[in-house]
Amino acid sequence: MSRHGRLATAAAALFAATTSVGSAAKAEVDVVATIPAVHSIASGVMAGVATPHLLIPGGASPHTFSLKPSDAQALQESDLVVWVGPQIETFLDGKLDDLAPNAEHVTMEDVDGITLLDFREGGLWERHDHSHGHGDHDDHGHEDASHENHGHDDHGHEEEAHHDHGHDDHGHEKKDAHGDHGHDHHAHDDHGHDDHGHDHHEHEKKDVHAHDDHDHSGADGHVWLDPTNATALSAAIAEALSEKDPANAERYLANHAEQKAALEALDAEIAESLAAVQDVPFLVFHDAYQYAEKRYGLNGVGSVTVSPEVAPGAARVRAIQERLATHSVACVFAEPQFEPRILEVITEGTQTRSGILDPVGAEIEPGADMYAQLMRNLAGALTGCLAAS
């Protein structure tokens, strides 16, 4: 029997019982979860037993995060680490075995039932008729989305292939609590010339969700923005905890069953709220929302930049402005961690509106309810801007 089958059978037996699950025993496992969305799912599974340690607060970048002594100790003492994978928590890539030598790892990207999508290249893309809408995911296997990018707009493609290392004078206004992270990018201007002399002081930063070290090949790591993926993660956590802490196995399985039902209801709620804006074209600041677009059949037609740490060059700006006109783009979405002046330049003189999307829920209180609030906020921001069309 598959893992999902074992979990479903066990959960059904629990809910069929006439008595509820008794008081949980003290947890026999120490759990560390990395980003708030992952921590939220783990918190739901562990409800009534213990609370996992949140490693990376919502206001910190999972790519550039620096461990505090208390974090290092939590990892050292952990029995289970739940993380997305090396595409997101880049600071843990290749180091997790050393940092958490006694821990089992639940890697969300590798969990059975997770839908994986490949990174979209170029930053500008076309919506395909064969893109799956709500309910069309195969919830029990990986999905190869390498076909998603056949319709690139040729304008600006070459420039984005170099990650837009040629900074444009329009600037890229960001505020970063961590400051410049020692970037030494090999930049190119619009003509391919080397440009080592750009001034990083042009970029005031505020942020927290930097992608400067992001590897834009292989699978897109923003897997948590599809509730069916969150459900698969919940199942994997419940199984791992049940094996490590059998005294509380019934509680973990019951919590998972409850969380699964809640996530299914959330998925249906969001699908209904977004149904009216599925066809409305929009651009995002960076390509973090592919899983939500795919799940709910949304019409994202491009991103302003591949990496929010690097501003687009002049040719790229022209290509985006052309995209706004040719695709009747209704909204361009920034992120609360990034307030780039370039968006004002791009939308100047157009009817395109501006909105804000937050893929990490930086301002949401961590805990079991955080994930649902994250997804509701995302849906609300999309409908708030797109429905005005």
Side-chain angles (χ1 to χ4, degrees), residues 31-36 38-40 42 52-56 80-83:
V31 178
V32 172
T34 53
I35 65 172
V38 166
H39 177 266
S40 180
H53 176 88
L54 174 60
L55 192 66
I56 307 168
L80 185 69
V81 176
V82 186
W83 67 317

Side-chain angles (χ1 to χ4, degrees), residues 292-351:
E293 292 173 35
K294 186 82 169 177
R295 181 64 187 166
Y296 302 111
L298 301 174
N299 192 11
V301 296
S303 62
V304 173
T305 181
V306 170
S307 169
E309 284 297 299
V310 184
R316 173 82 176 135
V317 169
R318 290 192 297 271
I320 294 169
Q321 290 173 325
E322 181 178 341
R323 176 60 57 108
L324 296 185
T326 59
H327 287 68
S328 301
V329 173
C331 296
V332 176
F333 290 98
E335 295 179 14
Q337 299 90 352
F338 299 96
E339 298 175 358
R341 288 175 294 165
I342 194 67
L343 294 188
E344 297 178 10
V345 174
I346 289 169
T347 58
E348 184 177 4
T350 74
Q351 298 300 310

Side-chain angles (χ1 to χ4, degrees), residues 162 164-166 183-189 192-196 198:
H162 293 286
D164 280 327
H165 292 317
H183 305 317
D184 186 19
H185 295 302
H186 185 81
H188 303 279
D189 64 18
H193 301 304
D194 289 341
D195 178 13
H196 299 284
H198 60 274

